[in-house]
Amino acid sequence: MAATMKKGVAAEDVNVTFEDQQKINKFARNTNRMSELKDEIEAKKVNGWFEMHSSLHFVQADADQTLFMQKSLQNLEDASDDLMMCEDDALLIPYQIGDVFISHSQEETQEMLEAAKEALQDEIKALEGRVSSIQGLLGDLKVQLYAKFGNNINLEADES
């Protein structure tokens, strides 16, 4: 989705100043950043977070922030649902922190899952806020660049 000058029919010859080039570069950088943020949001909503062991999900809480960010909201909800269907309340659920499994009661594990879901939802909201602000900035840059270059520049996303 890069800003490109259209070739072919040019209605007029427009000089590209240093300031114009800076705006075009800023548009391209922010477009790429927005795409990365959208991918990160999707990863948080969809990517797997749990390791399967037999029929039991081992909940994994990693101290490493980057790994935590890749955790899946959907899988947190699935694990929470699986935990609720567990018939044996006395069963200890192994919860992984780093390389160590710590056994917790079903209730404690449920609370940990809820806390993880809330944290992930907060992270997703923050990322969506950043995407929204970038979209506003891109809208302003589009207005400025189209005002100067008209049909001689293409700032629309390539659908390839």
Side-chain angles (χ1 to χ4, degrees), residues 66-85:
T66 9
L67 257 135
F68 179 77
M69 300 304 292
Q70 297 171 0
K71 308 308 182 227
S72 165
L73 184 58
Q74 181 62 47
N75 283 336
L76 282 170
E77 291 169 355
D78 290 345
S80 183
D81 292 344
D82 288 349
L83 202 54
M84 281 189 254
M85 289 189 283

Side-chain angles (χ1 to χ4, degrees), residues 6 12 15 18-20 22 24 28 36 41 46-47 49 54 64 70 72 81 84 87 98 100 109 125 128 132 138:
K6 288 186 177 179
E12 57 188 76
N15 289 331
F18 178 74
E19 184 179 302
D20 296 332
Q22 293 300 94
I24 292 168
E36 290 170 359
I41 289 169
V46 178
N47 282 348
W49 190 45
S54 302
D64 184 341
Q70 297 171 0
S72 165
D81 292 344
M84 281 189 254
E87 294 177 9
V100 179
T109 304
K125 285 180 185 175
E128 288 171 341
S132 180
L138 292 176

Side-chain angles (χ1 to χ4, degrees), residues 5 8 14-15 19 22-23 27 38 41 51 59 64 76 94 104 114 119-121 128-129 132 136 140 144 149 151 154:
M5 299 299 287
V14 180
N15 289 331
E19 184 179 302
Q22 293 300 94
K23 288 179 184 178
F27 184 89
K38 285 181 177 180
I41 289 169
E51 297 176 4
V59 183
D64 184 341
L76 282 170
H104 292 281
E114 291 301 319
L120 190 56
Q121 288 169 336
E128 288 171 341
S132 180
D140 292 342
Q144 295 171 19
F149 298 107
N151 291 334
N154 178 16

Side-chain angles (χ1 to χ4, degrees), residues 21 67 92 135 147 151 156:
Q21 187 61 53
L67 257 135
L92 292 178
Q135 286 173 330
N151 291 334
E156 302 306 316

Side-chain angles (χ1 to χ4, degrees), residues 48-153:
W49 190 45
F50 297 97
E51 297 176 4
M52 197 64 131
H53 182 73
S54 302
S55 61
L56 183 65
H57 289 284
F58 288 115
V59 183
Q60 180 179 3
D62 199 321
D64 184 341
Q65 185 65 18
T66 9
L67 257 135
F68 179 77
M69 300 304 292
Q70 297 171 0
K71 308 308 182 227
S72 165
L73 184 58
Q74 181 62 47
N75 283 336
L76 282 170
E77 291 169 355
D78 290 345
S80 183
D81 292 344
D82 288 349
L83 202 54
M84 281 189 254
M85 289 189 283
C86 188
E87 294 177 9
D88 187 4
D89 290 338
L91 179 68
L92 292 178
I93 310 296
Y95 193 93
Q96 184 178 6
I97 300 176
D99 292 334
V100 179
F101 284 95
I102 300 174
S103 295
H104 292 281
S105 70
Q106 183 176 349
E107 184 179 319
E108 289 174 320
T109 304
Q110 188 69 35
E111 289 172 5
M112 293 171 143
L113 284 171
E114 291 301 319
K117 281 189 339 189
E118 287 176 20
L120 190 56
Q121 288 169 336
D122 290 344
E123 293 288 337
I124 289 171
K125 285 180 185 175
L127 287 172
E128 288 171 341
R130 289 176 62 189
V131 166
S132 180
S133 67
I134 290 173
Q135 286 173 330
L137 176 66
L138 292 176
D140 292 342
L141 287 171
K142 271 186 180 183
V143 168
Q144 295 171 19
L145 292 168
Y146 277 133
K148 177 154 186 181
F149 298 107
N151 291 334
N152 294 324
I153 192 167

